[in-house]
Amino acid sequence: MNIGAPEILVLFSFVVLFVAAIAAVAITRGVRSGTPPRMPHPVSPQELDARVRHLAATGQPIHAIKLLRQHTGMGLKEAKDAVDGLAHGRPIRHPALQSPPAPQPARHTGDLASRVRALKRDGRADQAVFLVRGETGMDHDEATAFVDSVRDHPGTEAAPTGDA
């Protein structure tokens, strides 16, 4: 089989195109490697806020916008406005950047004996024992003795017996 000049030229053209395609992919990946690494999920609001502020302060607003969009679901304009606002001292306002509210202590109506009395009246004496244990740190036997000592009407409580 004889390969002439036209065939060699076509083969050479394919090789050049193949190498050019590989080079383009490598260059594209090289440019993309300059983006900040994805932060592991989930990140705390404080970590995300600090990272976005750092990127914006070091002249990388595009990376800050990308990071905000990845972690908050913000739209492009909203994220850009937020990053631009950092330069003017405005905080980023988004639910993903807000710390969760501190849990509020449970507010109980009435004293422990009143709540135990109500549970007993509803036929939930076991729940009353759990309530007493949770609020006082008593063990099961002590809490049961307390629940048993609470009477249906205030002021008629029996003194707990000490023979437990």
Side-chain angles (χ1 to χ4, degrees), residues 28 43 135:
T28 303
V43 297
E135 291 202 9

Side-chain angles (χ1 to χ4, degrees), residues 35-41 43 51 66-67 69-71:
T35 61
R38 292 192 95 170
M39 295 177 75
H41 289 284
V43 297
R51 182 72 177 139
K66 285 181 180 180
L67 192 64
R69 294 188 71 209
Q70 284 174 353
H71 291 281

Side-chain angles (χ1 to χ4, degrees), residues 33-87:
S33 68
T35 61
R38 292 192 95 170
M39 295 177 75
H41 289 284
V43 297
S44 72
Q46 295 81 12
E47 289 176 86
L48 181 58
D49 185 68
R51 182 72 177 139
V52 168
R53 288 179 183 281
H54 172 75
L55 289 170
T58 57
Q60 301 177 58
I62 293 173
H63 297 310
I65 291 167
K66 285 181 180 180
L67 192 64
L68 263 179
R69 294 188 71 209
Q70 284 174 353
H71 291 281
T72 64
M74 283 183 175
L76 179 61
K77 180 169 180 5
E78 185 182 9
K80 181 185 180 309
D81 291 345
V83 170
D84 289 345
L86 289 176

Side-chain angles (χ1 to χ4, degrees), residues 25-163:
V25 169
I27 290 171
T28 303
R29 287 192 180 174
V31 169
R32 286 188 185 162
S33 68
T35 61
R38 292 192 95 170
M39 295 177 75
H41 289 284
V43 297
S44 72
Q46 295 81 12
E47 289 176 86
L48 181 58
D49 185 68
R51 182 72 177 139
V52 168
R53 288 179 183 281
H54 172 75
L55 289 170
T58 57
Q60 301 177 58
I62 293 173
H63 297 310
I65 291 167
K66 285 181 180 180
L67 192 64
L68 263 179
R69 294 188 71 209
Q70 284 174 353
H71 291 281
T72 64
M74 283 183 175
L76 179 61
K77 180 169 180 5
E78 185 182 9
K80 181 185 180 309
D81 291 345
V83 170
D84 289 345
L86 289 176
H88 300 292
R90 290 190 301 266
I92 299 173
R93 299 199 190 284
H94 191 274
L97 292 172
Q98 305 304 315
S99 296
Q104 296 294 322
R107 294 199 177 143
H108 302 294
T109 56
D111 63 353
L112 181 60
S114 298
R115 289 180 283 147
V116 167
R117 196 173 294 113
L119 288 168
K120 283 178 66 173
R121 200 173 26 247
D122 294 340
R124 298 169 53 201
D126 289 341
Q127 187 66 35
V129 171
F130 285 121
L131 173 69
V132 171
R133 290 184 69 188
E135 291 202 9
T136 64
M138 291 181 184
D139 66 22
H140 183 77
D141 293 335
E142 292 171 327
T144 302
F146 178 83
V147 169
D148 290 343
S149 72
V150 174
R151 302 290 181 220
D152 288 340
H153 301 290
T156 60
E157 277 75 299
T161 59
D163 47 296

